[in-house]
Amino acid sequence: MSPAGCSHVNGYKVDNWKQNLRVIYQCFVWSGTAETRRRKVLQSDAGWTELAKSCICHMCGAHLNRLHSCLYCVFFGCFTKKHIHEHAKNKRHNLAIDLLYGGIYCFVCQDYIYDKDMEQIAKEEQRKAWKLQGIGEKYTTWEPTKRELELLRHNPKRRKITTNCTIGLRGLINLGNTCFMNCIVQALTHTPLLRDFFLSDRHKCEMQSNSCLVCEMSQLFQEFYSGHRSPHIPFRLLHLVWTHARHLAGYEQQDAHEFLIAALDVLHRHCKGDTIRDDNGKKTNNPNHCNCIIDQIFTGGLQSDVTCQVCHGVSTTIDPFWDISLDLPGSSTPFWPLSPGGDGSTVNGESHLSGSTTLTDCLRRFTRPEHLGSSAKIKCGGCHSYQESTKQLTMKKLPIVACFHLKRFEHSAKLRRKITTYVSFPLELDMTPFMASSKESRMNGQYQQSVEVLNNDNKYSLFAVVNHQGTLESGHYTSFIRQHKDQWFKCDDAIITKASIKDVLDSEGYLLFYHKQFLEYE
């Protein structure tokens, strides 16, 4: 094909071809959901509305199989089953558009083609669709300016990312008992989707200058991935944390878990310009419908089922969460169950040595039914009286990044201490047994593995571990970070050293960060 593009496009560019192409992009390509598609169709040209009532193949009725639309007439056809090919051959309509990705296919050239005018229309309509959905520019193609092209010509050397590349690894100076902050910053800067968000400059700030924590995090990501090796001094980040989370101000040692939750909360509040909008283009104030990057990555849904012991009626509530706090053996709270035996069996990739406790054990305990007792009776909607009940927590919606907080610090009226119980945790974790949809597979807190293959959508990989060494009164935080697959580094403030997988898995573990292995794109 010549640089000018496909010559067969010229036969299409007659009369109102631009308007017709825009209608197709608006109604059938860039509409995000079936609901918006139907709404846009009803607002479009009457001919399209009458003939194209739904996006299905006009020959077999299927809506999958790479559906394409003819550019010359109202016809939808399967690309996989070649129904759109038959239409093109019979009608001599040589151009069709892919309704999923918006590419133009020429049946004469037998390939997807590029046309500058069509590409411009596709980009304009895509941006309009994103704006209606309130998601900003999203992933727009980078087009270099003349100045940038000149710089690229004079600097042909490219930075190549290899398996031994250390870009993204950078120490952080301890500014006075700030190791709790440094280890969380290391975990956040190595969270893949958070890194992609900040390095693509997608934050739209609506706050006063120098007061936005999201802007500072954006600058921090630039520093981490700049290639500089000298330790970074995060003084601006510390100042903003003190400003927006007053309870963390001062030079005393703070809890890394408390800092994580405070940081996510401030980032969530400062992502005002990045949230979704309603159908009228106005921002939604409902926190349950926030679509900021923090909620997209870290927010899950925790389902609580309270069952009346008399009528067995169930009251269900679903609450958002950023992390899961897990009790440990050795705390004042009775711990049950331990591993299902000291026989060396393996669950979730964790070896059950005699007397050892695993992350799966902690999750099993977290999701077991709990009898609330006579001192905590609730008013049953079925019985219309106060009755004893049981309560069970399960995962209704899993976040992209699952953070598990092992409750090692115990504070009570009589006791203040650190729990040093060793908890083994796996490199790969399957959360299927703890989903609300798997509840019927559990009896009295004991998970019975289904015969069916476990769901890949619920599988996670470990990418960061925060550890605490020392006592409750005097201690130090460090972190392990996964740079590449099976390549780990220990971050101890300004010092970065290579670590083995054994070093990671043998560590005590305070905060465990897992990332979903498979992502669902909306």
Side-chain angles (χ1 to χ4, degrees), residues 278-326:
D278 60 21
D279 293 337
N280 297 320
K282 296 180 180 179
K283 291 179 184 178
T284 56
N285 295 319
N286 189 337
N288 294 325
H289 292 106
C290 179
N291 199 36
C292 74
I293 190 63
I294 300 302
D295 278 312
Q296 286 182 45
I297 296 175
F298 294 96
T299 299
L302 188 65
Q303 179 170 315
S304 173
D305 295 318
V306 178
T307 305
C308 174
Q309 294 298 284
V310 176
C311 70
H312 302 291
V314 180
S315 173
T316 299
T317 57
I318 300 173
D319 296 307
F321 69 87
W322 279 333
D323 72 315
I324 296 292
S325 294
L326 301 171

Side-chain angles (χ1 to χ4, degrees), residues 327-360:
D327 289 317
L328 302 179
S331 67
S332 57
T333 304
F335 187 88
W336 179 93
L338 286 173
S339 304
D343 56 357
S345 61
T346 300
V347 176
N348 246 330
E350 300 163 312
S351 179
H352 284 169
L353 301 176
S354 179
S356 68
T357 303
T358 68
L359 177 61
T360 302

